Each structure stands twice: as structure tokens, then as C-alpha cells.
Amino acid sequence: MVPANNIVSVDQFDNQDVMTLLQQAQAFQEGATVQLNRPTFAMNLFFENSTRTHTSFEMAERRLGLQVLAFDPKTSSMTKGESLLDTLKTIQAIGVDLAVMRHPQNAYYRPLVQAGLDLSLINAGDGSGQHPSQSLLDMLTIYQEFGHFNGLKVAIVGDISHSRVARSNMELLTQLGATVYFSGPKHWITDDFTAYGDYRPLDDLVGEMDVLMFLRVQHERLTQDSNAAFDTQAYHQRYGLTLARAAKMPAHAIIMHPAPVNRGVELASELVDAPQSRIFQQMTNGVYVRMAMIAQLLAHRGLLTVNKLEGSL
Ligand code: CP
């Protein structure tokens, strides 16, 4: 089990931790329930936009019976200069047990964790750093498909240098025994990534991969000049999953994307909803994986008991 009050990075997980969380997520999907040992309160603090992560954390919290308090950064006292740490100390003093936070600054969570707060913190994404809940839901989706990780070939394609998903997934996938490849514009791939897997042109990969994982082009993290020069059609033809490329995928291979998808850029629009796509399954899995993460943290603090039900994973 993750011996901590917080889940902020996939670096915290060994393979057994990952499998325990995936099995618990599967058990929740199959109807496992929990008991709260007292009223328990959650707050989701999102300093970057989100649909999937924010909504599915709130869904997970409500399914576990937590009461969810609203937080809007634009109307919070952080606009008056209050620090992140003082904001967390404040909500802890008021009685919040679980804080889920997304923030544009890489590793924003370090001083918060070092402060030894008496609430649980889950990192819902930090800049281009880590996205542990996305990575776990991706692992669940892959495991549901293949029943193992060992020897699987996974290509991560696209805007890699800006991607916390790429960073988290390359770490967990290689640790779990999969082989990772990278593709996309070479200037978006740096040495810290190629230490985890080889770069290859997409046309060399599509016929060989078990999983093709595409990443959103993050226009909000590009410079004004890069955005002005960006050619959607050219990107799609060179680095995207066109219908012609998809036709070369092995029959058993799957398409993944953390979403939101730029339809017609990373993937031909039809492929988002195609039989090989697991994109909406990833989103569904996100709720159960986040239930498992929250349950584990709250159980560690004696706030929650999981009613045992073995998942079929
Ligand atoms: N995949 C993901 O993190 O999506 P959101 O930005 O909508 O949360």
C-alpha cells in the first residue's frame, strides 16, 4: 500500500501498489461499497481548466459518500495574495479531509506535502509534471484489455514535452514491464523522455504496437509564435492517426487518448468513436480509479472502511 497521506506522483507506486489500486477500482466498478466512519469532506481546487478530472473526482467523492465543498480560485482569497499553503491550512482548519488539486506550476505539491498537513492531498495534474490519476486509469484500461503489461508495446505520440500524461505513463509502463516508444514532432521530445523509450516515425510504429496513445496538442502551453505557425492539416498528415494509418493497426491493437481530443488533429474524428478506441472507457475508468485512490487515503487515516469485494481483474 502507498505509505502516505498523499498521492502526488506515480513515483510513489511500486507494481504491487498499482495492482492493488487497479483491483480496488475494478471492485468498485463491480459494486464494492464503503462505510465512512464519520462525515467526511472533500474540496477540489482546480487552478487549470478541466472537464474529465474535475467531474470524475467529484463523482468518485460523491459515490463514496463524501460531502463536496465548492472552491473557485477566482473568488477565493488567493486573489488577495493568500498562498497555496495557507489556503490548505485554512480548509484543513475548517474541517476538509481531502483536497484534490490541479495547478499549472510543476511540483506545486512539494511544500504542501513537506508541511505535514493533517488532510489528504491528491495531485490532479501539475504543469508538465505528473498526472497520477490519469496514469492509473490508463493502466486499468490497458490491463482490462490485455490482462498484463509485460512485453506490451505502447507508443506515446504527440506533444510529449508538455505532457504530464506522457511523463507519468512512461514511468509506470516501463516499471510494469511494457516497452514504450515515442513519436511526434522531434522538437517536442527531450532526452528525459528518450531515456524511457526510442523515438520512431509513426509509420514505423502503427503496424507493430499493441497500444497507440495520442496526446493533445497543448496550444495553451505553446508560444504565440508556435501557435501562429501551427498547421492543423500538416500536423495530422505527419504525426496524427489518419484513417490510412489506422487501417495498418493490428486487429487486437487499441487507440487511447487522455482527452480532450482535437478531432482531426491527433486523430481522424471518426477514430475517436471507432471500435478500436478506448477513449470513453478511459473516462469511465477514471471514476473507479479515483474512488480507489480516495478510499485508500481515507482508509489509511481510519476515516473509511472498504466492504470487501474482490474485483474480477
Ligand atoms: N485528461 C484530462 O486530464 O482531462 P481534463 O483536462 O478535462 O481533466
Side-chain angles (χ1 to χ4, degrees):
M1 292 298 224
V2 180
N5 269 347
N6 312 293
I7 297 178
V8 293
S9 167
V10 300
D11 301 345
Q12 289 171 260
F13 303 140
D14 63 23
N15 289 355
Q16 184 56 50
D17 295 327
V18 174
M19 291 313 300
T20 301
L21 284 162
L22 300 194
Q23 273 154 3
Q24 186 58 62
Q26 184 71 29
F28 280 131
Q29 194 152 20
E30 292 170 14
T33 55
V34 301
Q35 218 172 289
L36 288 173
N37 300 326
R38 65 156 170 77
T40 307
F41 298 90
M43 187 177 268
N44 302 314
L45 303 97
F46 276 65
F47 296 90
E48 270 187 3
N49 293 341
S50 167
T51 298
R52 272 145 293 274
T53 312
H54 195 164
T55 311
S56 64
F57 264 116
E58 184 158 341
M59 181 65 85
E61 289 154 359
R62 289 183 187 277
R63 285 194 180 192
L64 291 170
L66 276 69
Q67 297 180 54
V68 184
L69 279 67
F71 176 86
D72 177 3
K74 289 199 273 312
T75 55
S76 79
S77 284
M78 288 191 69
T79 59
K80 303 173 196 166
E82 192 160 45
S83 69
L84 265 187
L85 181 55
D86 279 337
T87 300
L88 281 204
K89 283 183 171 176
T90 299
I91 64 170
Q92 174 187 294
I94 290 167
V96 171
D97 301 292
L98 169 72
V100 175
M101 191 180 294
R102 171 174 286 189
H103 197 280
Q105 188 188 319
N106 282 27
Y108 72 82
Y109 50 79
R110 278 210 189 110
L112 308 181
V113 169
Q114 278 160 7
L117 296 168
D118 194 25
L119 53 67
S120 301
L121 175 67
I122 297 180
N123 175 20
D126 61 297
S128 58
Q130 285 281 320
H131 197 343
S133 64
Q134 178 71 46
S135 190
L136 287 169
L137 74 87
D138 289 343
M139 296 310 117
L140 179 59
T141 307
I142 292 170
Y143 199 86
Q144 284 172 339
E145 193 71 32
F146 298 101
H148 67 97
F149 296 100
N150 212 25
L152 288 180
K153 293 181 181 172
V154 183
I156 304 179
V157 185
D159 189 353
I160 287 164
S161 61
H162 297 107
S163 176
R164 52 196 173 215
V165 179
R167 199 171 291 281
S168 302
N169 279 352
M170 72 183 184
E171 289 180 29
L172 270 198
L173 283 165
T174 52
Q175 178 179 312
L176 289 161
T179 305
V180 172
Y181 299 86
F182 294 105
S183 195
K186 270 200 161 157
H187 60 277
W188 279 345
I189 299 169
T190 47
D191 292 348
D192 47 334
F193 289 97
T194 46
Y196 283 83
D198 292 340
Y199 174 89
R200 298 244 201 106
L202 186 54
D203 286 318
D204 293 358
L205 293 174
V206 284
E208 290 180 25
M209 295 296 108
D210 301 297
V211 179
L212 286 170
M213 184 182 289
F214 289 84
L215 301 172
R216 182 175 67 88
V217 177
Q218 298 192 39
H219 290 287
E220 71 278 19
R221 298 191 208 277
L222 300 181
T223 62
Q224 230 175 357
D225 287 349
S226 306
N227 270 319
F230 189 80
D231 181 335
T232 299
Q233 289 261 332
Y235 183 93
H236 183 59
Q237 285 308 320
R238 189 145 180 217
Y239 305 114
L241 191 62
T242 59
L243 294 175
R245 285 197 182 104
K248 295 183 182 147
M249 290 170 61
H252 71 272
I254 60 170
I255 300 166
M256 296 176 69
H257 191 306
V261 180
N262 294 306
R263 285 180 183 251
V265 182
E266 299 98 40
L267 304 173
S269 183
E270 300 92 312
L271 295 173
V272 176
D273 313 288
Q276 310 96 303
S277 168
R278 296 294 176 272
I279 295 171
F280 293 99
Q281 185 181 331
Q282 287 173 264
M283 296 176 203
T284 303
N285 283 341
V287 174
Y288 300 109
V289 154
R290 289 170 176 124
M291 288 174 77
M293 295 167 79
I294 295 167
Q296 188 175 89
L297 290 178
L298 297 184
H300 178 67
R301 293 171 54 206
L303 295 175
L304 172 150
T305 311
V306 177
N307 300 322
K308 208 74 194 146
L309 178 120
E310 297 297 336
S312 62
L313 211 57

